Amino acid sequence: MKVLVIGGGAREHALCRSLSLDPDVTALHCAPGNAGIAEVAELHGVNALDGQAVAELAAGLEADLVVVGPEAPLVAGVADAVRDRGIPVFGPSAEAAQLEGSKAFAKDVMAAAAVPTARSYVCTTPEEIDEALDAFGAPYVVKDDGLAAGKGVVVTEDVEAARAHALACDRVVIEEFLDGPEVSLFAVTDGETVVPLQPAQDFKRAYDGDEGPNTGGMGAYSPLPWADPKLVDEVMATVLQPTVDELHRRGTPFSGLLYAGLAITSRGVRVIEFNARFGDPETQVVLARLKTPLAGLLHAAATGSLATFPPLRWSDGAAVTVVIASHNYPDTPRTGDPIDGLADVVAQDAPKAYVLHAGTKRDDSGAVLSAGGRVLSVTATGSDLTTARQRAYRAVDRISLDGSQHRTDIAAKVANEAAGS
């Protein structure tokens, strides 16, 4: 199988790494990729948002499968352009991707499918914004209706901060605050059959102790020892399958990766949001534990044959990812700084720990430089979360990036609780 992956972040590096380990993959390509992906795939300089250019590249490569990683190309219709060329593609149509592209659309689908979620108002005027904020009270949850690269949500006790964020959006969803821990659950679907993956938990705040601004994610772990063993079955029955069925009923079947961001509240499971693609950094830990070869699973979803796909196989162990971010992230990050120590991780920690590149590039001399806010995802596996954490942070300590930042408490609380139980 010849596979083309679209995107250039740590999520796409995780996908490419898993695909490169799949014996059925005979050629692996990525556009545009990054410095780390270049070690496992051939890179192509194509605009990931240009559907026709991506389709031309896929046709020229005679790709058997195209995997669209980020949300922006999906919402822009890149999967549609590839599908129109008769090439199997893992990723929903632009219409179905509105499940992530528009919070209001997602709320409408959830209401029709009776999916449990937060009560909300869609607002377009200052008057509507004030009424909604007043109705729910603090803490205020304000979500930009459109794509915002994981940073369009503000949760605050400060009504003026909430109002300012709402006014800065063309259309905004204001909703009730959901208490309880958050869980990310991915599911692969071909538009009818839904196959859930293992749940993960990520860490959105920039600093230890869940302090600081929201980010795209500073780390993740899987599995979740504290979660109800029936959680996946419950979410399948009340969230994932009903949502896929409703989109199919509307004539806009969702084929690809359906990501449910969940709150385990005192009143039961509630959907915080949907995404139309693998999440970052949760993908890094979920794929680290997946033993089933990835290409066949994604191809089955792309070709409508998931119903006959064998049950997924998982490692019994754990995985932890720690994100190394640039100086000043998540504000305007500094880029162009050299990254040292990557070879040391390969020499001393592989294969139990490895580095997935997010925002990196090579200069003319071949040195790896920072090129984004989140720069690296250091991922490790182990028999349990304590072991995986130790390996991940040992590898993090080998890496040098001037001014970089990372959280030191990824999975610490749950690892300590699991070790003490």
Side-chain angles (χ1 to χ4, degrees):
M1 196 187 303
K2 297 177 184 175
V3 183
L4 169 63
V5 176
I6 303 302
R11 163 187 46 227
E12 286 76 36
H13 194 177
L15 288 164
C16 285
R17 179 182 182 273
S18 290
L19 290 165
S20 73
L21 298 173
D22 187 332
D24 288 336
V25 175
T26 54
L28 183 58
H29 303 267
C30 186
N34 61 39
I37 294 173
E39 297 174 8
V40 294
E42 182 180 343
L43 302 191
H44 302 270
V46 169
N47 180 358
L49 295 173
D50 186 336
Q52 293 309 314
V54 171
E56 285 293 328
L57 174 62
L61 294 172
E62 299 181 339
D64 301 298
L65 175 66
V66 175
V67 180
V68 184
E71 60 273 23
L74 292 168
V75 172
V78 169
D80 302 85
V82 175
R83 227 174 249 118
D84 288 346
R85 294 292 291 266
I87 301 168
V89 57
F90 183 82
S93 66
E95 209 168 350
Q98 285 302 304
L99 205 58
E100 176 169 5
S102 167
K103 302 288 192 298
F105 175 82
K107 288 289 187 182
D108 185 62
V109 170
M110 283 189 268
V115 169
T117 186
R119 293 180 299 119
S120 64
Y121 294 108
V122 179
C123 307
T124 56
T125 69
E127 293 76 22
E128 290 173 344
I129 287 167
D130 288 340
E131 286 177 19
L133 292 173
D134 201 40
F136 288 128
Y140 303 98
V141 181
V142 184
K143 298 181 176 181
D144 189 335
D145 180 54
L147 292 180
K151 303 184 198 75
V153 179
V154 165
V155 180
T156 178
E157 299 278 347
D158 184 342
V159 68
E160 289 306 318
R163 190 170 190 274
H165 180 65
L167 290 170
C169 306
D170 289 335
R171 185 159 77 152
V172 67
V173 174
I174 297 175
E175 63 184 40
E176 67 175 326
F177 177 76
L178 296 174
D179 64 330
E182 295 183 12
V183 173
S184 300
L185 184 61
F186 303 160
V188 173
T189 177
D190 58 10
E192 294 185 16
T193 301
V194 181
V195 177
L197 305 186
Q198 289 285 303
Q201 186 173 57
D202 77 332
F203 295 76
K204 288 291 186 196
R205 298 286 183 174
Y207 311 131
D208 285 9
D210 291 329
E211 298 290 331
N214 250 357
T215 72
M218 295 299 291
Y221 70 93
S222 180
L224 312 182
W226 51 268
D228 188 326
K230 298 174 186 169
L231 174 66
V232 174
D233 290 341
E234 179 186 346
V235 176
M236 270 290 292
T238 63
V239 175
L240 297 170
Q241 192 69 58
T243 300
V244 169
D245 290 346
E246 171 61 18
L247 287 166
H248 191 271
R249 186 192 67 76
R250 293 178 178 216
T252 55
F254 187 104
S255 168
L257 195 289
L258 178 57
Y259 165 145
L262 308 164
I264 314 301
T265 78
S266 54
R267 294 175 292 128
V269 175
R270 297 289 186 272
V271 174
I272 301 169
E273 65 177 359
F274 282 126
N275 290 329
R277 39 68 194 183
F278 280 102
D280 181 346
E282 300 98 318
T283 300
Q284 289 86 302
V285 292
V286 172
L287 292 186
R289 297 186 55 228
L290 180 64
K291 294 175 74 172
T292 298
L294 184 61
L297 173 63
L298 303 188
H299 190 267
T303 55
S305 55
L306 267 182
T308 58
F309 196 79
L312 301 185
R313 295 181 295 113
W314 297 91
S315 97
D316 291 331
V320 171
T321 284
V322 180
V323 170
I324 297 177
S326 295
H327 174 74
N328 206 39
Y329 178 77
D331 292 325
T332 306
R334 192 174 77 203
T335 60
D337 289 314
I339 302 167
D340 295 314
L342 297 174
D344 294 338
V345 176
V346 174
Q348 301 185 58
D349 301 302
K352 299 296 186 183
Y354 48 88
V355 179
L356 298 168
H357 292 231
T360 66
K361 66 178 181 181
R362 287 192 185 274
D363 66 11
D364 293 339
S365 71
V368 178
L369 307 178
S370 63
R374 290 185 295 175
V375 181
L376 304 169
S377 284
V378 180
T379 303
T381 57
S383 58
D384 52 35
L385 284 168
T386 298
T387 305
R389 276 195 87 246
Q390 290 169 345
R391 288 172 174 164
Y393 279 106
R394 192 179 307 135
V396 166
D397 288 343
R398 299 192 203 282
I399 295 169
S400 172
L401 171 62
D402 186 49
S404 68
Q405 55 178 316
H406 65 271
R407 284 184 57 161
T408 65
D409 63 346
I410 303 300
K413 183 169 179 276
V414 68
N416 291 338
E417 288 172 352
S421 62

